[in-house]
Amino acid sequence: MSPPAVPAVPVVHSLREQIREHILEGIVSGRWQPGERIVERRIASELLVSQTPVREALRELESLRLIESSPNKGVRVRELTAADLRESYPVRAGLEQVAAELAADALAEDASALDRELAPLYEADRRGDREAQARHTVAFHREIVLASGNSVLLHTWESLGIEVWTALSIRWLSPQPRAHAEDHAELVTAFRRRDPRIGELLRTHVLGCAPQI
């Protein structure tokens, strides 16, 4: 007799993280436009929480350079430019080059984690769904970093706020929808055939995704 199935344990996010995601979604979706003020007290009232976790969430977003605060103007969404969005890409490209080289053998043997993101990415391309494109693109790249087996590399990569910057790049600075799945399918093929240039291929791919000035 097989052992009873163990129910999945839901991921419980802290209140601060939930508020952070709420504000992020508001920025990415356009609820708060660049230059618009984000009122701490209003968010606390809307979410029925105290102002302390809201303040903590805003502090994190300021560290990601998505918002800025000043004594006279309060907290506002930064007026981001293509140059601002481009800044993280060379750093990310270097990290992912190392990740690809470390993960090459593992992904040559089993690239199913990458395949799982490709199918919905093709569908997102077909529908022109930019939110889904950003979500599955980032998940694809995260799987490569995870496959590297290097926790320091993963932590550093995640600290760049990859998902946020990718979503903003696609939504704010891509006036015409473009396909993303084919480029990622080529990377999967390169991993499977053990291409010795895989690190450089991924680095070039990431740099090519940066918003154009």
Side-chain angles (χ1 to χ4, degrees):
M1 181 182 295
S2 59
V6 178
V9 178
V11 177
V12 179
H13 295 287
S14 70
L15 182 58
R16 172 187 49 76
E17 290 173 317
Q18 293 177 50
I19 296 169
R20 175 180 177 271
E21 292 306 310
H22 171 78
I23 300 171
L24 275 177
E25 174 57 28
I27 294 173
V28 172
S29 68
R31 175 184 174 186
W32 287 294
Q33 296 293 321
E36 187 173 348
R37 188 180 177 196
I38 298 178
V39 182
E40 180 183 304
R41 184 176 60 258
R42 189 175 301 162
I43 294 173
S45 176
E46 178 183 326
L47 299 179
L48 302 178
V49 298
S50 72
Q51 289 183 229
T52 299
V54 175
R55 191 174 303 120
E56 292 172 350
L58 289 172
R59 193 175 299 125
E60 284 191 20
L61 295 176
E62 188 169 12
S63 72
L64 282 175
R65 299 178 299 116
L66 285 172
I67 64 174
E68 56 190 1
S69 62
S70 65
N72 298 324
K73 296 183 179 180
V75 176
R76 296 180 183 273
V77 179
R78 278 191 65 202
E79 295 274 5
L80 295 167
T81 65
D84 292 319
L85 294 176
R86 283 179 62 89
E87 281 187 345
S88 68
Y89 280 84
V91 180
R92 174 185 170 186
L95 292 173
E96 292 197 28
Q97 178 175 2
V98 174
E101 291 166 355
L102 292 174
D105 288 341
L107 291 175
E109 293 294 330
D110 181 8
S112 59
L114 302 183
D115 289 333
R116 282 195 296 271
E117 301 301 332
L118 272 183
L121 189 50
Y122 273 111
E123 178 61 19
D125 284 351
R126 186 187 67 79
R127 299 195 314 267
D129 185 337
R130 296 187 182 192
E131 286 187 20
Q133 285 178 323
R135 184 167 63 254
H136 293 294
T137 293
V138 172
F140 180 97
H141 285 265
R142 180 178 282 111
E143 290 295 342
I144 296 174
V145 180
L146 283 169
S148 75
N150 189 307
S151 60
V152 174
L153 183 57
L154 175 62
H155 175 76
T156 305
W157 184 85
E158 290 185 332
S159 73
L160 294 175
I162 301 296
E163 188 160 6
V164 176
W165 294 111
T166 300
L168 290 176
S169 297
I170 290 175
R171 179 179 291 273
W172 287 358
L173 296 172
S174 297
Q176 298 300 322
R178 60 174 289 259
H180 296 267
E182 284 297 335
D183 290 347
H184 290 81
E186 291 174 6
L187 290 172
V188 176
T189 299
F191 275 113
R192 285 202 163 106
R193 71 167 181 257
R194 297 180 184 272
D195 192 317
R197 301 171 302 137
I198 188 60
E200 183 58 34
L201 289 174
L202 187 54
R203 178 178 179 277
T204 300
H205 165 81
V206 172
L207 290 175
C209 293
Q212 300 304 306
I213 299 176

